[in-house]
Amino acid sequence: MGNVISVNTGPIVPAEFARRRGRSAIKKLPTTGRVKVGPLGLEGDEQAEYFHGGELQAVYAYAREDLDWWSERLQRPLRNGIFGENLDLIDFDASGAVLAEKWQVGEVLLQVMAPRMACGTFGGWMQETGWAKRFNGARRPGVYLRVLEGGSVAVGDRVEVVWRPARHVTVAEAVGAILDEQDVLRRITAMADEEPEWDRAAMMFHVSNRTRNRAAATSATTPENAPAGTPATADATSNPAPASTGNPTSTGAPATADAPTPATTTATPTPSATTPNPTGPAPTPPTATATQGTQAPQATPAPPAQHTGQEAPATPDRPTGAVDA
């Protein structure tokens, strides 16, 4: 349990250091008294960039201990609000927060959504060479939060974790998914699948398609790492499925060469009451087994066709996010 030591807000203003847009609201200054908090964040606070703010990133919180850590490395004092955060916390590990967990902060109920990733404007504001890479690499990102229940906050309010998901992925770890660590992305996807009330869009916004595709491909070939609830996919090269005996294959579609088909005969086959065919009438023999058509009528079925390995391809469990259309 920690406490709020500063509540910070700031408007959009012209900014030379924000070279792309020429404006910024990163300059947050401490307020006094209680500040109202609604679905879009703190009253009187603004964001100049669309990827900051919004309902899924309404509040940004940072730990005073992490500011002090940076102060030692930058060899200069860092005031509360200097990173553009709305809430400065003490005795609370913000970067160690778990994705999807819920905080009670004064009257307000918040939910952890994503880590903050440094952008060019942040680097210009800090006037530190290579700041974005340095900040992101330190894994002390602070937390973007969604407002579940509004109210007001003020200096001195308690910060308490009131709920956590079963699967734990910390905000600091989540940075790895944005930096191309597929194993972390798979863990986040598994957690999100189990917690449908947590919207993964803010987290997935910065994850590249390359990272998503590689993580999904690895999940498809290593079932033990697949997200919970995802059926394991058989590896056709190391563990081929047995030849079909008339039942659907494990992929839901029987392979065309798997079902043994009797050779052409004038006798009418007698249906079996003990072995119903769930797929209906026997399929017409495929052209790939045309040699069977020249066989004489026989009392015993032809041997099953050799398994070709051409099973229905596995479909990767692609993580979803805000950028999915």
Side-chain angles (χ1 to χ4, degrees):
M1 185 181 299
N3 291 92
V4 176
I5 60 171
S6 186
V7 179
N8 316 300
T9 63
I12 298 172
V13 296
E16 292 183 1
F17 59 81
R19 298 174 184 174
R20 288 178 56 190
R21 297 183 181 271
R23 60 180 192 159
S24 174
I26 196 172
K27 184 179 180 180
K28 311 292 187 189
L29 297 175
T31 63
T32 58
R34 301 201 68 82
V35 179
K36 291 183 180 179
V37 182
L40 294 177
L42 279 66
E43 186 175 66
D45 191 48
E46 295 180 333
Q47 296 84 32
E49 300 282 0
Y50 71 93
F51 47 81
H52 299 306
E55 290 189 0
L56 299 183
Q57 298 181 150
V59 178
Y60 176 45
Y62 206 77
R64 182 64 242 183
E65 290 84 354
D66 285 338
L67 280 177
D68 293 341
W69 185 89
W70 280 112
S71 181
E72 292 177 3
R73 281 146 186 81
L74 299 178
Q75 295 296 300
R76 59 179 170 120
L78 296 175
R79 63 168 178 80
N80 292 329
I82 189 67
F83 284 179
E85 69 271 21
N86 299 116
L87 302 177
D88 286 291
L89 314 177
I90 196 166
D91 296 329
F92 192 90
D93 184 8
S95 294
V98 172
L99 290 177
E101 75 178 18
K102 299 175 184 179
W103 302 356
Q104 188 70 48
V105 184
E107 301 173 355
V108 181
L109 182 64
L110 304 172
Q111 186 174 37
V112 174
M113 303 306 292
R116 187 261 189 90
M117 299 299 289
C119 60
T121 297
F122 191 13
W125 167 249
M126 293 299 295
Q127 297 183 349
E128 294 284 344
T129 302
W131 176 247
K133 183 176 181 180
R134 189 174 181 184
F135 181 84
N136 295 339
R139 308 291 175 104
R140 295 170 183 261
V143 187
Y144 276 129
L145 302 143
R146 173 170 63 168
V147 179
L148 299 180
E149 296 178 8
S152 65
V153 295
V155 171
D157 281 351
R158 286 186 177 182
V159 183
E160 182 179 3
V161 177
V162 295
W163 179 84
R164 273 186 170 171
R167 293 180 184 257
H168 291 184
V169 183
T170 69
V171 171
E173 289 176 315
V175 173
I178 301 171
L179 300 180
D180 200 31
E181 296 177 11
Q182 294 91 43
D183 60 326
V184 178
L185 180 56
R186 287 193 295 273
R187 290 171 56 205
I188 294 171
T189 302
M191 183 275 291
D193 288 343
E194 293 182 3
E195 304 295 341
E197 293 184 0
W198 179 71
D199 191 329
R200 73 188 80 185
M203 177 64 235
M204 298 299 293
F205 178 83
H206 295 288
V207 178
S208 70
N209 285 332
R210 173 176 174 269
T211 302
R212 296 189 199 195
N213 293 338
R214 290 177 63 185
T218 305
S219 294
T221 57
T222 55
E224 67 276 7
N225 293 327
T230 302
T233 304
D235 185 344
T237 60
S238 61
N239 186 25
S244 172
T245 58
N247 294 323
T249 65
S250 61
T251 60
T256 56
D258 282 352
T261 305
T264 303
T265 178
T266 58
T268 301
T270 301
S272 170
T274 58
T275 57
N277 184 354
T279 61
T284 303
T287 56
T289 58
T291 56
Q292 293 178 350
T294 62
Q295 297 176 4
Q298 53 189 347
T300 58
Q306 185 66 33
H307 180 65
T308 63
Q310 295 178 348
E311 303 174 0
T315 302
D317 181 18
R318 184 179 183 276
T320 60
V323 296
D324 294 340

